[in-house]
Amino acid sequence: MPNNISIVVSAPSGTGKTSIITKAIEENDRFVFVVSTTTRPQRNGESEGESYYYVSQDDFKQMIVRGEFLEWAVVHQNYYGTSKKEVDRIKGLGKIPIFDVDVQGAKQLKGKIKNAVFIFIVPPSIDELRTRLVNRGTDSEHQVSIRLNNAVNEMRDYRIYDYIIVNHDLTEAAEDFKAIIRAERCNVKRFAPDMIRL
Ligand code: 5GP
């Protein structure tokens, strides 16, 4: 069976992306989250090496110069990147990597990873997203407005993705996520001719 697919997920922040990815990983040990490197401060409830690898701006810039990133971008005034080392670690496990990147990152990954499925998760509306970000309480009013602006800009690029999930309801969105991956694993384009015996 083909198992070499990769999943690339993007979503404006506050859309429920982390909950959907976490649910999928909890239910299926084939999936492994690709831990990104960032200069953004660690939030309550996050942990080093699980949510992100947290580094200083200087360290991040040195990693860029050394060519250590598969992709990187500045998002909400912080640096975020996927290190090649992290991807190699997951490939070595023979698992299905789930990349969580913004639209800039997804565009960079498009030409770089084979057999990737690109999924975009969106909120039911911008008003609903504003409510979720405010209720989450992790960002200042200024940060919320930056995130909302970015959300509108990111959503303009939806056509680079293969699938869109509208997150009205977490359980249903997580079901959609799993269904997409399940169907993609059976997609005829994932099978080399010698895998089908006639
Ligand atoms: P947050 O600060 O809310 O965890 O993430 C902010 C944004 O950065 C999200 O859109 C998330 O997808 C994006 N992001 C997280 N890791 C990476 C990464 O490695 N590369 C890129 N390009 N974006 C990332």
Side-chain angles (χ1 to χ4, degrees):
M1 282 296 284
N3 68 353
N4 59 346
I5 66 168
S6 300
I7 315 297
V8 179
V9 188
S10 302
S13 58
T15 315
K17 173 190 55 190
T18 308
S19 310
I20 293 169
I21 294 176
T22 306
K23 215 168 181 326
I25 290 174
E26 273 169 10
E27 290 173 16
N28 189 336
D29 66 5
R30 273 206 184 106
F31 299 130
V32 176
F33 183 63
V34 180
V35 180
S36 299
T37 303
T38 186
T39 60
R40 121 153 131 58
Q42 190 168 344
R43 289 189 191 130
N44 273 346
E46 291 185 343
S47 48
E48 162 73 26
E50 272 185 43
S51 317
Y52 284 104
Y53 300 110
Y54 301 91
V55 298
S56 67
Q57 279 219 9
D58 280 350
D59 286 348
F60 197 102
K61 286 177 182 165
Q62 279 173 27
M63 289 176 76
I64 296 174
V65 172
R66 290 197 297 261
E68 290 183 24
F69 289 114
L70 193 57
E71 65 73 38
W72 67 272
V74 177
V75 189
H76 312 138
Q77 300 166 345
N78 292 302
Y79 287 82
Y80 293 83
T82 309
S83 74
K84 293 176 183 167
K85 193 169 148 197
E86 174 69 3
V87 176
D88 290 344
R89 175 183 79 83
I90 295 170
K91 273 196 197 148
L93 298 171
K95 304 274 182 173
I96 299 176
I98 301 187
F99 294 77
D100 168 356
V101 295
D102 80 323
V103 173
Q104 306 171 74
K107 284 179 180 166
Q108 294 173 56
L109 291 178
K110 274 234 133 167
K112 289 190 179 160
I113 41 176
K114 280 194 287 175
N115 281 337
V117 182
F118 288 76
I119 302 175
F120 196 40
I121 303 172
V122 296
S125 69
I126 289 293
D127 277 347
E128 173 64 26
L129 183 60
R130 181 181 297 110
T131 307
R132 288 184 194 175
L133 285 174
V134 171
N135 290 347
R136 187 167 80 171
T138 51
D139 299 294
S140 65
E141 209 175 301
H142 178 60
Q143 278 294 328
V144 168
S145 80
I146 293 179
R147 281 170 193 269
L148 280 174
N149 257 330
N150 283 357
V152 172
N153 284 332
E154 287 208 315
M155 288 200 269
R156 294 207 169 97
D157 274 325
Y158 72 93
R159 284 185 192 280
I160 70 162
Y161 294 87
D162 301 309
Y163 295 92
I164 293 182
I165 298 173
V166 181
N167 185 10
H168 292 282
D169 169 79
L170 178 60
T171 310
E172 208 170 307
E175 287 302 320
D176 286 348
F177 185 82
K178 287 185 288 177
I180 290 167
I181 297 168
R182 192 159 189 153
E184 279 293 331
R185 296 188 74 239
C186 302
N187 191 313
V188 68
K189 67 184 182 221
R190 314 252 171 247
F191 288 80
D194 61 355
M195 293 165 105
I196 312 288
R197 282 171 215 276
L198 299 175

